[in-house]
Amino acid sequence: MANTPQAKKRIRRNERRAEINGARVGRIRTFVKKVEAALAAGDKPAATTALAAVQPELARGVAKGVLHKNTASRKFARLTKRLSALA
C-alpha cells in the first residue's frame, strides 16, 4: 500500500487518467467499427467517409499516448487495404 503522499497522489492520478484513456480508446474503437460495418455492407462511399474520420482519431490516440504509432499505422493500413479491395 502507498505510504508516502506522493505515492497516494500517483494512485489518484492514475485512476483519473485510466478513465480518460479508456474513453479515448473506446472512441477510437467506435470509429473503427463504423468503417468495418460499412465495409461489411459493401457501401464504399460510407466506408470512405468513415475512414476519413478514423485517421485523425488514430493520430490523436498516438499523440495522447493511448496507442502506439505502429499500431495506429497498422490499423489504418489494413482498413485502407480492405477499402481498396472493395471495388
Side-chain angles (χ1 to χ4, degrees), residues 10-83:
R10 292 292 289 189
I11 289 170
R12 291 194 309 269
R13 187 189 70 77
N14 289 344
E15 287 172 354
R16 286 195 304 268
R17 296 311 305 169
E19 189 174 336
I20 292 165
N21 290 340
R24 278 203 179 102
V25 173
R27 179 178 164 86
I28 291 167
R29 279 198 199 113
T30 303
F31 276 84
V32 171
K33 284 179 185 176
K34 286 180 184 176
V35 177
E36 290 174 343
L39 288 170
D43 189 0
K44 190 164 184 172
T48 304
T49 55
L51 187 67
V54 163
Q55 200 275 332
E57 287 298 322
L58 288 172
R60 194 170 297 120
V62 171
K64 297 293 185 179
V66 296
L67 284 180
H68 192 274
K69 180 174 68 169
N70 292 353
T71 302
S73 178
R74 184 182 66 241
K75 285 181 185 292
F76 188 70
R78 287 179 180 173
L79 289 172
T80 305
K81 187 177 178 181
R82 284 175 59 191
L83 179 64

